[in-house]
Amino acid sequence: MEVGIDSFASAMYGSTSLNSADAMEQLLERIERADQVGLDVFGIGEHHKKEFLDSAPAVILAAAATRTKNIRLTSAVTVLSTSDPVRIYQQFATLDLISKGRAEVVVGRGSAVESYPLFGFELKDYDELFKEKLELFLQIQNQEFVNWKGKYRPPLHNQPIYPRSLQSKLPVWLGVGGTPESFQRAGKLGLPLMVAVIGGETERFAPLIDLYREAGHRAGFAPEDLKVGLHSPGYVAETSEKAVADYYPGYQELWTKLGKERGWPPVTRSRFDAQNGAKGALLVGGPEEIAEKLLRHSKSLGGVDRFTFQMDNAGLNHKQLLSSIELIGSKVIPLLKDRKD
């Protein structure tokens, strides 16, 4: 199992608001540290809000590419529905050249929808936009010269798209939430699947992942082509008690605020503890506990190829985040390898 971090480039840590330049420098330091301690992948999301600095993820990843050597660099998620597939391909192909073949893209429709009015798109076209733009993006991935016609973008007539990625095909994952259609679409296309599990019990996604694998099998893809990734909130400290003490206050504040916006109930400690239980989506604890939980999740889903922690949204400071990254690299990953063997 590959293990990594996803970040939304938050500019808010603890009770102190950082200036944006300092927050960006700290983020790059964390990506550099993740590379140094052996994490496999680091992803940058896409939002267009004041509290996040990730509106241009490819730019952040390109800066990180110059400071790292081995870690793969990806989006998490690129909102393809409100982007131009030509420009997204060009940006990540350029990142692939800068990083010497370490770039990837996770594309999706976006759970946050602020990019739709910002770029002049209608939410009523949510799925149709994504379907059309994904078709174009995959054609660009596979072909240097593109002939294409659609509803939401001017046509392309034998148009070459440059630069080309260093990798023969730029890796593209499909980011999904919880709709069966999204899982089946990924399977039919033979795309690796990145599942965002932010609440409830992780094993409830097993039937949807079965749909993905069944759709991929019917479309003629080999099992090794149908990779499954998992993205969940998490944080690792020296002990489980310390991890919860560090993580819960900011988590409670953030998710209660989000709940008011999206109609969720307020966060309580009992609800948090349930989410952080043996089958819950949260991965907050000590190294051994987290390694065991990752293996349990993988087994319940029929195998997980990649897991990414999303942990910079809980009021954690830079020092705590660096420590967590180091523990993931020095303890969690070795424990996963030992117990798999």
Side-chain angles (χ1 to χ4, degrees), residues 299-320:
K299 183 178 180 181
S300 72
L301 299 177
V304 170
D305 300 282
R306 174 179 290 181
F307 178 80
T308 53
F309 291 85
Q310 204 297 307
M311 62 183 180
D312 69 346
N313 63 347
L316 299 164
N317 62 44
H318 181 51
K319 183 178 179 181
Q320 290 169 320

Side-chain angles (χ1 to χ4, degrees), residues 49-321:
K49 299 180 178 181
K50 183 178 181 179
E51 60 266 36
F52 301 119
L53 301 174
D54 60 348
S55 65
V59 178
I60 299 173
L61 294 168
T66 67
R67 299 169 61 153
T68 56
K69 296 180 180 179
N70 300 305
I71 197 166
R72 297 193 68 77
L73 301 167
T74 183
S75 61
V77 168
T78 291
V79 185
L80 190 61
S81 303
T82 58
S83 302
D84 182 351
V86 174
R87 292 298 287 151
I88 294 299
Y89 180 84
Q90 290 175 325
Q91 290 166 13
F92 281 86
T94 302
L95 171 64
D96 203 45
L97 297 175
I98 295 169
S99 66
K100 297 181 173 58
R102 293 185 282 128
E104 300 185 2
V105 188
V106 180
V107 298
R109 295 175 295 181
S111 59
V113 295
E114 68 274 2
S115 64
Y116 286 80
L118 181 63
F119 297 115
F121 294 99
E122 298 287 340
L123 272 175
K124 64 181 177 62
D125 301 323
Y126 185 78
D127 193 62
E128 191 177 354
L129 276 164
F130 183 70
K131 182 178 179 181
E132 177 178 296
K133 293 191 176 189
L134 179 61
E135 175 189 302
L136 174 55
F137 189 78
L138 295 177
Q139 187 173 341
I140 297 168
Q141 177 204 33
N142 290 308
Q143 299 173 10
E144 182 176 341
F145 288 81
V146 176
N147 286 287
W148 179 88
K149 185 177 181 179
K151 179 178 178 181
Y152 298 101
R153 190 199 185 283
L156 297 167
H157 303 290
N158 201 36
Q159 182 70 47
I161 309 297
Y162 300 119
R164 305 306 296 177
S165 62
L166 181 62
Q167 298 173 86
S168 58
K169 287 178 65 173
L170 185 68
V172 178
W173 296 64
L174 189 62
V176 298
T179 63
E181 295 78 13
S182 295
F183 286 79
Q184 290 176 313
R185 174 161 44 207
K188 290 175 183 177
L189 294 170
L191 294 177
L193 186 73
M194 180 55 71
V195 187
V197 183
I198 61 174
E201 293 187 349
T202 298
E203 65 183 27
R204 68 191 168 92
F205 282 84
L208 294 170
I209 290 173
D210 288 342
L211 279 178
Y212 162 68
R213 291 182 171 128
E214 290 166 8
H217 176 72
R218 288 196 300 269
F221 293 100
E224 57 268 24
D225 296 326
L226 303 171
K227 295 181 179 180
V228 173
L230 193 64
H231 157 109
S232 295
Y235 172 71
V236 183
E238 292 86 351
T239 67
S240 296
E241 294 76 15
K242 185 177 188 308
V244 171
D246 288 348
Y247 190 86
Y248 175 71
Y251 175 88
Q252 191 274 339
E253 179 182 351
L254 175 70
W255 287 89
T256 296
K257 178 183 176 183
L258 286 175
K260 291 179 180 179
E261 297 173 1
R262 301 187 184 188
W264 301 336
V267 174
T268 63
R269 181 56 190 267
S270 61
R271 182 174 167 223
F272 171 85
D273 289 340
Q275 295 285 313
N276 199 38
K279 296 182 178 182
L282 297 182
L283 284 101
V284 180
E288 291 208 3
E289 178 186 1
I290 296 305
E292 289 174 1
K293 193 168 183 179
L294 284 173
L295 291 171
R296 192 182 305 120
H297 282 346
S298 181
K299 183 178 180 181
S300 72
L301 299 177
V304 170
D305 300 282
R306 174 179 290 181
F307 178 80
T308 53
F309 291 85
Q310 204 297 307
M311 62 183 180
D312 69 346
N313 63 347
L316 299 164
N317 62 44
H318 181 51
K319 183 178 179 181
Q320 290 169 320
L321 293 169

